[in-house]
Amino acid sequence: MRTLSLLVALAAFAYGAPSNLKLRQAVPAPRNWVDLGPAPAAHVIPLRIALPQPRFDELERLLLEVSDPAHASYGAHLSKEEVEELVAPHPSSVDAVDAWLAEHGIHQDSCERSPAGDWVTVRVPVEQAERMLGTEFRLWQHAQDGDVLVRTTHYSLPNHLDDHVELIHPTTAFNRARAHRTTFRFSPPVDTSADASSEAPASSAKITVPGSGVTVDPSCNTTITVSCLKQLYNAVDFVPKATKKNAIALTGYLEQFANIADLQEFYADQVPAAVNTSFDVVLINGGLNNQTLDEAGAEANLDVQFALGISFPTPGTFFSTGGEPPFIPDIGTPTDSNEPYTEWLDFVLKQKTVPQTISTSYGDDEQTVPEDFAKRVCASFAQLGARGVSLTVSSGDGGVGDGDPNPATQQCFTNDGKNQTKFIPGFPASCPFVTAVGGTIHIPEVAVDFSGGGFSNFFPRPSWQDAAVSGFLKKLPKGTYAGLFNPNGRAIPDVSAQADNFRIFLSGEPVHIGGTSASSPSFAGFVSLLNDARLSAGRPSLGFLNPLIYSLKGTGFNDITAGNAPGCGTPGFNATAGWDPVTGFGTPDFGKLKDIVLGI
């Protein structure tokens, strides 16, 4: 704490902010980013101003009540209007921010506001943003992939805005939301000749899964299909009925396009009854629906094909969210916005009706996201949970950090200027209001070695996790990884599903692919089936899943007790009996979970 205070004090002196401005945030120069010099004065940047949400604690209390199966309010989800009332800023904050903007020539008709008014977005040239914030924006280039962002390492605000502005984004944010870096794990394609099949011959002996007693085709040990997942997770005979009430959605960012022709090939191969059906595409913030076959997105296709294949005939939606790519100085990009979560959240929170199940397979290292911004994004996910939406998120593909067990080559260094080795959790998986999905492989299942897991450095452990996580920590030998992780942080993942050797169609060809970007949409598909069962019985959707999952103490899940996920120069944590930070509570047994959710 004293180190941070000293940094802030020195920054205020060094940056020479005007006397009426108070330094709000200062961060060290980020690792792996190179300062290229001042940003062009005329370059336009979006400034997103977060106003305080004085009643958020009340929203969180109500969210936990409607999500706790032991509470009398379970399932009594809030309306859009009720949620907006609970996150709206105080009128005095709105007036103070509007007056400040007007002083800089920015009037209300040029401001964009979130549905509840808790975010205000303005688009201004760099030179004006620098005057407003007492700072200097610079061009920063990523040392590994060459991306260039317009950012600053500090900014200030007038003293009188202390109680009226929580943060301004993307000032000091060097995160880049993208598909997890090892998501696309292409395996050799299966034989697609006429006498070959992705399924095992009917005469082959099936595998009996210990514990659950279900039987699975032996081919599923090398190729995962929709049929494999329904067999493995005990959902073979379930047929969705609430197709006029229930819906599922997938999020796509940064020019990842879900291809309809590929989907038809996938359906013909794995879900013949679904041939000639498709999904809705919703375009957000300049998002596109490029159906050029050779430009199909592996991530988008994986998400759509398996989530919709599992939940068919439940209606599906693909949210294609635009967002300018990182700034490229030699072509004079007119705007700089590479933060798709906020654009998607702004849009979806405006909608009167939202799909009951939504999966996201994108993320970044938690430490690259400014903590105050991460908490505000997480609060937006809470708003969706309160409205009855189940959000699943890939836990990441780097084990406890970078996936590297070698101490000599690991890259898990803190970006606070100290360059200490620490485990690195992912965001938004670390947000407690989403369900983080880890990965397994093979039958019987074991933890896949890239399954992301660990403990947040931003979010404290929620009460609903206490018993399960404390039980795991007590079993750890004393001193294990001491100082490398935060034992009091929100722990991930919550659950798991198969995560490798998935057979999809990409640009007209069958390929194998994997990552927790496979496990999240697959798990979401089964959540959608559970929602169908409840809606068909006249009950509300499940909504925020985690309090229910942890209350079951593993009932309804296949416990994964073998495997580990290395990283940061260590073997990482081990999968073990009960909850663990590799596979959570394990993989779903849909048949058991259906009986449970119909009984509450």
Side-chain angles (χ1 to χ4, degrees), residues 457-584:
N457 294 308
F458 289 174
F459 302 98
R461 185 196 310 153
S463 59
W464 39 261
Q465 265 198 329
D466 274 338
V469 177
S470 295
F472 170 82
L473 292 173
K474 288 177 182 176
K475 291 187 289 187
L476 273 183
K478 188 175 181 179
T480 300
Y481 302 144
L484 292 181
F485 71 97
N486 172 24
N488 300 312
R490 186 279 204 259
I492 55 175
D494 303 298
V495 294
S496 289
Q498 285 278 321
D500 210 355
N501 301 319
F502 277 55
R503 176 179 166 91
I504 69 165
F505 278 76
L506 181 64
S507 299
E509 298 293 333
V511 298
H512 278 56
I513 193 170
T516 55
S517 289
S519 57
S520 179
S522 296
F523 188 87
F526 290 101
V527 172
S528 185
L529 297 184
L530 293 173
N531 275 326
D532 181 278
R534 281 183 59 85
L535 292 168
S536 296
R539 294 185 171 94
S541 61
L542 291 168
F544 176 40
L545 296 171
N546 293 355
L548 168 64
I549 290 171
Y550 284 82
S551 73
L552 296 178
K553 301 178 181 179
T555 301
F557 291 88
N558 307 305
D559 195 8
I560 310 302
T561 59
N564 65 296
C568 306
T570 76
F573 296 110
N574 294 322
T576 187
W579 181 91
D580 58 70
V582 187
T583 61

Side-chain angles (χ1 to χ4, degrees), residues 68-117:
D68 179 359
H71 197 279
S73 297
Y74 181 69
H77 306 305
L78 306 186
S79 68
K80 173 180 181 288
E81 293 74 19
E82 288 170 333
V83 168
E84 290 173 359
E85 182 179 349
L86 290 169
V87 297
H90 193 278
S92 63
S93 295
V94 176
D95 292 343
V97 170
D98 286 350
W100 173 60
L101 293 174
E103 290 174 6
H104 289 275
I106 303 169
H107 300 289
Q108 293 189 34
D109 58 359
S110 60
C111 299
E112 301 171 20
R113 300 179 191 271
S114 62

Side-chain angles (χ1 to χ4, degrees), residues 177-340:
R178 53 183 55 201
H180 293 292
R181 54 185 175 271
T182 55
T183 290
F184 310 127
R185 304 170 65 88
F186 289 97
S187 307
V190 298
D191 183 359
T192 58
S193 60
D195 61 349
S197 170
S198 61
E199 301 292 345
S203 60
S204 298
K206 291 196 171 188
I207 303 170
T208 300
V209 179
S212 69
V214 301
T215 58
V216 183
D217 289 333
S219 65
C220 299
N221 246 323
T222 55
T223 299
I224 292 294
T225 65
V226 169
S227 176
C228 289
L229 294 177
K230 286 193 170 185
Q231 292 173 55
L232 182 59
Y233 299 144
N234 193 17
V236 172
D237 296 326
F238 184 79
V239 179
K241 299 176 182 177
T243 54
K244 293 184 178 180
K245 300 177 182 179
N246 195 27
I248 185 171
L250 298 309
T251 62
Y253 302 107
L254 305 177
E255 299 186 349
Q256 274 284 322
F257 308 119
N259 189 272
I260 294 172
D262 277 338
L263 179 67
Q264 298 308 313
E265 294 274 8
F266 176 83
Y267 279 162
D269 183 62
Q270 298 189 30
V271 193
V275 171
N276 295 325
T277 68
S278 188
F279 53 90
D280 292 331
V281 178
V282 176
L283 306 181
I284 302 171
N285 190 42
L288 302 174
N289 182 23
N290 185 346
Q291 289 299 311
T292 304
L293 192 61
D294 62 5
E295 295 184 30
E299 175 66 61
N301 275 10
L302 170 62
D303 289 357
V304 165
Q305 289 173 20
F306 270 86
L308 302 190
I310 291 167
S311 61
F312 176 78
T314 302
T317 296
F318 181 74
F319 291 111
S320 178
T321 302
E324 300 298 328
F327 178 77
I328 304 173
D330 62 351
I331 65 171
T333 308
T335 60
D336 172 42
S337 174
N338 192 37
E339 181 46 67

